[in-house]
């Protein structure tokens, strides 16, 4: 019986030799089918569905016949044991691939980026202006791309210059006000000194008149 099963494995091996390169083509066809569907999928949903279909196609390539043909001696020893090993292999393979896909989505921030693409597409539909297309002249395309950038930079620099001039004017006003306060303080000090000198002179004159110098002569 084991020889009959081994013969069956050999016979089915040729029928189960789909080229792995076809997986990419089939995944692309699945993607096109989903895109052409009337239902509007978000990019993240489309990505999930394409990954799911690609994973199932990939799992189908690891059929039991192919697996048994790779370990033919073990299969001859215990076909049922080989089936259990194959089943466990598929489960672990599916789990590992799903984990890798989840890691890819998380590390690449695909969810946020795909949602952003959906938002950009939705905004573009509401924009009546035609989308940019290359003219075929590299110099003209580069100029049309770089000019808006320089215009923005120029407008930004003008705004910065305007703000700096306004700040300088405010600082100049503060400096002028400070100079005026200093000049006023100097004037008050000079007036106070003049008043003090006048008071001192008046006091000396009064003292001289009350106490003549010849009164104390001997």
């Amino acid at each position: 019986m084991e020889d009959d099963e081994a013969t069956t494995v050999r016979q089915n091996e040729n029928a189960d030799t789909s080229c792995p390169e076809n997986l990419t083509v089939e995944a692309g066809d699945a993607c096109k089918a989903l895109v052409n569907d009337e239902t509007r999928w978000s990019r993240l949903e489309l990505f999930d569905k394409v990954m799911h279909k690609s994973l199932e196609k990939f799992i189908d390539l690891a059929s039991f016949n192919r697996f048994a043909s790779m370990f033919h001696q073990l299969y001859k020893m215990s076909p049922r044991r080989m089936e259990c090993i194959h089943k466990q292999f598929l489960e672990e393979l599916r789990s590992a691939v799903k984990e890798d896909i989840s890691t890819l989505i998380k590390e690449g921030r695909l969810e946020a980026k795909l949602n952003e693409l959906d938002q950009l597409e939705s905004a573009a539909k509401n924009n009546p202006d035609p989308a940019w297309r290359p003219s075929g002249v590299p110099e003209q395309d580069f100029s049309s791309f770089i000019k808006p950038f320089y215009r923005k930079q120029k407008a930004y620099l003008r705004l910065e210059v305007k703000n700096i001039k306004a700040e300088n004017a405010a600082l100049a006003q503060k400096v002028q006000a400070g100079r005026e306060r200093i000049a006023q303080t100097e004037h008050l000090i000079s007036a106070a000194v003049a008043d003090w000198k006048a008071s001192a002179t008046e006091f000396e004159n009064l003292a001289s008149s009350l106490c003549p110098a010849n009164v104390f002569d001997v």
Side-chain angles (χ1 to χ4, degrees), residues 123-202:
K125 289 182 178 179
N126 299 327
N127 187 4
D129 298 332
W132 180 86
R133 293 292 184 273
S135 64
V137 182
E139 293 82 2
Q140 182 178 348
D141 293 338
F142 181 77
S143 177
S144 63
F145 171 78
I146 204 69
K147 278 184 178 179
F149 172 76
Y150 280 120
R151 291 194 189 102
K152 290 181 180 180
Q153 287 294 105
K154 187 176 181 179
Y156 171 77
L157 292 175
R158 284 180 176 176
L159 180 61
E160 286 296 309
V161 170
K162 182 179 179 181
N163 292 335
I164 292 174
K165 287 182 177 180
E167 292 177 359
N168 289 340
L171 290 175
Q173 291 179 355
K174 291 182 180 179
V175 171
Q176 183 63 28
R179 288 176 178 175
E180 291 177 355
R181 287 195 297 270
I182 291 173
Q184 185 177 5
T185 302
E186 290 178 347
H187 177 72
L188 293 175
I189 292 174
S190 298
V193 170
D195 291 342
W196 178 79
K197 288 182 177 180
S199 298
T201 302
E202 183 178 356

Side-chain angles (χ1 to χ4, degrees), residues 16-208:
D16 191 26
T17 55
S18 56
C19 182
E21 285 80 359
N22 292 335
L23 178 61
T24 304
V25 177
E26 293 174 352
D29 294 338
C31 181
K32 291 179 181 178
L34 289 172
V35 171
N36 293 331
D37 191 358
E38 293 181 358
T39 305
R40 177 58 184 169
W41 301 98
S42 68
R43 281 176 169 80
L44 182 60
E45 293 173 337
L46 184 62
F47 178 82
D48 290 337
K49 291 183 179 295
V50 169
M51 288 296 102
H52 177 73
K53 286 184 176 292
S54 299
L55 176 59
E56 294 304 320
K57 294 287 185 182
F58 179 72
I59 294 297
D60 290 342
L61 291 177
S63 64
F64 177 72
N65 291 334
R66 179 173 293 175
F67 189 79
S69 67
M70 297 296 296
F71 305 97
H72 185 62
Q73 296 298 325
L74 295 176
Y75 174 77
K76 289 177 62 177
M77 294 174 59
S78 179
R80 292 185 179 178
R81 181 65 174 172
M82 180 62 68
E83 289 180 2
C84 294
I85 294 175
H86 177 256
K87 183 178 179 180
Q88 183 178 358
F89 167 74
L90 291 183
E91 291 176 353
E92 293 184 0
L93 177 62
R94 181 180 283 105
S95 177
V97 173
K98 286 184 177 180
E99 183 177 355
D100 288 342
I101 293 174
S102 298
T103 302
L104 173 66
I105 293 174
K106 182 178 180 180
E107 293 181 354
R109 299 179 61 249
L110 288 182
E111 181 175 357
K113 293 179 180 179
L114 292 176
N115 290 334
E116 184 178 358
L117 284 176
D118 289 336
Q119 295 174 0
L120 291 174
E121 182 182 10
S122 178
K125 289 182 178 179
N126 299 327
N127 187 4
D129 298 332
W132 180 86
R133 293 292 184 273
S135 64
V137 182
E139 293 82 2
Q140 182 178 348
D141 293 338
F142 181 77
S143 177
S144 63
F145 171 78
I146 204 69
K147 278 184 178 179
F149 172 76
Y150 280 120
R151 291 194 189 102
K152 290 181 180 180
Q153 287 294 105
K154 187 176 181 179
Y156 171 77
L157 292 175
R158 284 180 176 176
L159 180 61
E160 286 296 309
V161 170
K162 182 179 179 181
N163 292 335
I164 292 174
K165 287 182 177 180
E167 292 177 359
N168 289 340
L171 290 175
Q173 291 179 355
K174 291 182 180 179
V175 171
Q176 183 63 28
R179 288 176 178 175
E180 291 177 355
R181 287 195 297 270
I182 291 173
Q184 185 177 5
T185 302
E186 290 178 347
H187 177 72
L188 293 175
I189 292 174
S190 298
V193 170
D195 291 342
W196 178 79
K197 288 182 177 180
S199 298
T201 302
E202 183 178 356
F203 178 77
E204 291 177 355
N205 294 335
L206 179 61
S208 298

